[in-house]
Amino acid sequence: MNDKLKITFFAYLILTIVGAFMKLSDIDFSSVVMSIGIASLVIFIFLSLSEIYQSTRIDGTEKFMWTVGMLLLSFFAGIAYLIWGRKRIITPSLKY
């Protein structure tokens, strides 16, 4: 699995859930795990938006909608981007 976007998204998902369970169980270093999960989310958003804004297949309105979705609803927009949007947006030369 050599896809940085998928790796960062699933790292965000797993680390955030594990960190939340650690926090509920009052285990030490739960905030560190949560922080790494949030950092993975920021990296995912940055990589996604860089792919979106480099694309020539979509117009500015759709780029704006993806930006708002990534910033406000990052979990749902991230899943939608990975499953449906990326195939349509990315050109073969932009794939990381």
Side-chain angles (χ1 to χ4, degrees):
M1 188 163 135
N2 196 16
D3 196 2
K4 293 178 186 177
L5 261 171
K6 290 180 183 176
I7 292 171
T8 57
F9 182 76
F10 289 115
Y12 145 69
L13 189 63
I14 292 168
L15 290 172
T16 304
I17 290 171
V18 169
F21 280 122
M22 288 175 65
K23 192 75 161 170
L24 289 173
S25 300
D26 202 29
I27 298 175
D28 293 336
F29 302 109
S30 61
S31 60
V32 174
V33 175
M34 291 282 289
S35 298
I36 295 170
I38 299 300
S40 297
L41 173 65
V42 171
I43 292 169
F44 171 76
I45 291 173
F46 177 75
L47 291 174
S48 299
L49 290 179
S50 66
E51 279 186 1
I52 290 167
Y53 278 95
Q54 289 177 6
S55 176
T56 57
R57 293 185 176 189
I58 58 174
D59 62 350
T61 307
E62 190 170 352
K63 290 178 182 180
F64 177 73
M65 289 189 311
W66 277 112
T67 303
V68 171
M70 288 292 179
L71 295 177
L72 298 179
L73 301 167
S74 55
F75 175 73
F76 299 112
I79 290 175
Y81 182 70
L82 289 175
I83 293 175
W84 300 295
R86 192 168 189 221
K87 295 174 193 171
R88 189 175 54 81
I89 292 172
I90 195 167
T91 57
S93 63
L94 291 179
K95 206 166 200 177
Y96 290 107

